[in-house]
Amino acid sequence: MMAEWDSASAVRGGDGWDALAPVWMERVGDSGDPVRAFLLDPVTLELLGEVRGRQVLDGGCGEGRFARLLARRGAHATAVDLSEQMLAPALEEERRHPLGIRYLRGDLADLSALATASFDAAVANMSLQDVEDYQGALREVARVLRPGGQFVFSILHPCGSSLGVAPDLGWEYTDPAAPSSPRRYYKVDRYFERRRSAIPLWRDVAICVPHHHRPLSDYTTALRRAGFLVRDLAEPAPDPDLVAQDPSSWEKFGRIPYFLVMDAVRLG
Ligand SMILES: C[S@@+](CC[C@H](N)C(=O)[O-])C[C@H]1O[C@@H](n2cnc3c(N)ncnc32)[C@H](O)[C@@H]1O
């Protein structure tokens, strides 16, 4: 399932996302996917706290769903993404139903269009793992945050992404020939090998997007060096009722942590 990253044919993440954008709009779009709705959004919003009246940056905003969610809660949202095709529907939606969101095309590792210390908070939902220069991105997010500003970001949990992140890649099944048979365990290996790969998000779509596997400590070290203090972290898991209602969708998310959400504060 997992193809190796081909740096000659991929321009730092933009290409894959440009190609995938129409499929993303069809399958995720404005309503978000169930993983976002049930696992990521509640935790991210809880860690962010009250956003009303705050200047909030959404880094790697994609088609703008979370920036709209922030704006509807009263935040002054600015949203940045590298992919022109992911941003296009965001801009179109803002034109049709204005929420005052400022969209910019750009790399999280170069936010020079944004003023220093101009944000109260920043979020990056499932985007930092795509970013090649994640250390530069963390430095830039720190620069645009005011001292005491907050940065909440989610990534695929590094503990499970070392063997790749295509659906179910690390699971061992009771019947190895039948991925619908009960899962035995999730295998983790080569955790400390930093690796960039190109991954398909859906089994039936042959478009790959970038993913960087990094040990968790790479993120915490880079956060500290960029001037952040990690205040909290969360590993969202589904409610047991949700698992009971639809085990084929949710059982795996209740067995191991698929996602990590971190809450860091920009030190003064
Ligand atoms: C998995 S999508 C997440 C989109 C949105 N945050 C969400 O959760 O629905 C990752 C997004 O990160 C963007 N991205 C990747 N590398 C980036 C970079 N270096 N700078 C800014 N955005 C980037 C991609 O274009 C893509 O839209």
Side-chain angles (χ1 to χ4, degrees), residues 215-259:
L216 176 54
S217 50
D218 281 11
Y219 285 100
T220 52
T221 301
L223 282 162
R224 177 173 50 75
R225 288 187 178 152
F228 287 106
L229 176 71
V230 175
R231 179 166 60 182
D232 203 353
L233 63 81
E235 294 167 305
D239 191 282
D241 287 346
L242 197 60
V243 180
Q245 278 164 31
D246 184 2
S248 65
S249 299
W250 293 105
E251 190 243 11
K252 64 181 181 182
F253 294 109
R255 296 261 301 264
I256 58 157
Y258 270 69
F259 305 103

Side-chain angles (χ1 to χ4, degrees), residues 11-18 20 24 28-29 32-33 36 40-41 58-67 80-84 86-87 104-111 123-133 137 154 201 209-210:
V11 183
R12 302 172 72 194
D15 274 5
W17 282 105
D18 275 348
L20 192 68
W24 181 273
V28 181
D33 58 3
R36 280 171 172 71
L40 291 170
D41 288 356
D58 183 357
C61 63
E63 55 75 48
R65 185 190 66 88
F66 201 79
V80 175
D81 201 281
L82 192 58
S83 158
E84 193 170 356
M86 289 294 277
L87 276 177
L104 300 170
R105 181 174 179 225
D107 190 333
L108 269 179
D110 176 10
L111 297 175
V123 292
N125 290 314
M126 302 300 287
S127 52
L128 261 188
Q129 66 221 346
D130 285 18
V131 178
E132 183 145 14
D133 182 9
S154 53
L201 286 198
V209 292

Side-chain angles (χ1 to χ4, degrees), residues 11-173:
V11 183
R12 302 172 72 194
D15 274 5
W17 282 105
D18 275 348
L20 192 68
V23 187
W24 181 273
M25 286 307 292
E26 237 177 73
R27 299 190 180 193
V28 181
D30 190 47
S31 48
D33 58 3
V35 157
R36 280 171 172 71
F38 290 102
L39 296 186
L40 291 170
D41 288 356
V43 167
T44 305
L45 289 169
E46 191 185 329
L47 288 171
L48 263 179
E50 179 63 81
V51 293
R52 183 165 299 280
R54 293 167 88 192
Q55 294 287 342
V56 185
L57 173 68
D58 183 357
C61 63
E63 55 75 48
R65 185 190 66 88
F66 201 79
R68 288 190 291 279
L69 202 150
L70 291 170
R72 289 192 191 106
R73 288 170 176 245
H76 305 291
T78 298
V80 175
D81 201 281
L82 192 58
S83 158
E84 193 170 356
Q85 296 307 316
M86 289 294 277
L87 276 177
L91 289 166
E92 175 60 19
E93 184 59 22
E94 179 63 21
R95 196 186 58 75
R96 282 193 294 142
H97 304 291
L99 288 167
I101 302 170
R102 176 170 54 144
Y103 286 104
L104 300 170
R105 181 174 179 225
D107 190 333
L108 269 179
D110 176 10
L111 297 175
S112 46
L114 301 175
T116 298
S118 56
F119 289 91
D120 301 302
V123 292
N125 290 314
M126 302 300 287
S127 52
L128 261 188
Q129 66 221 346
D130 285 18
V131 178
E132 183 145 14
D133 182 9
Y134 72 107
Q135 293 147 313
L138 292 173
R139 281 195 299 272
E140 276 295 81
V141 172
R143 182 185 63 77
V144 301
L145 281 174
R146 63 165 171 77
Q150 181 184 18
F151 181 37
V152 177
F153 69 91
S154 53
I155 51 174
L156 280 159
H157 204 303
C159 294
S161 68
S162 59
L163 291 176
V165 292
D168 288 355
L169 200 66
W171 286 105
E172 284 291 312
Y173 293 91

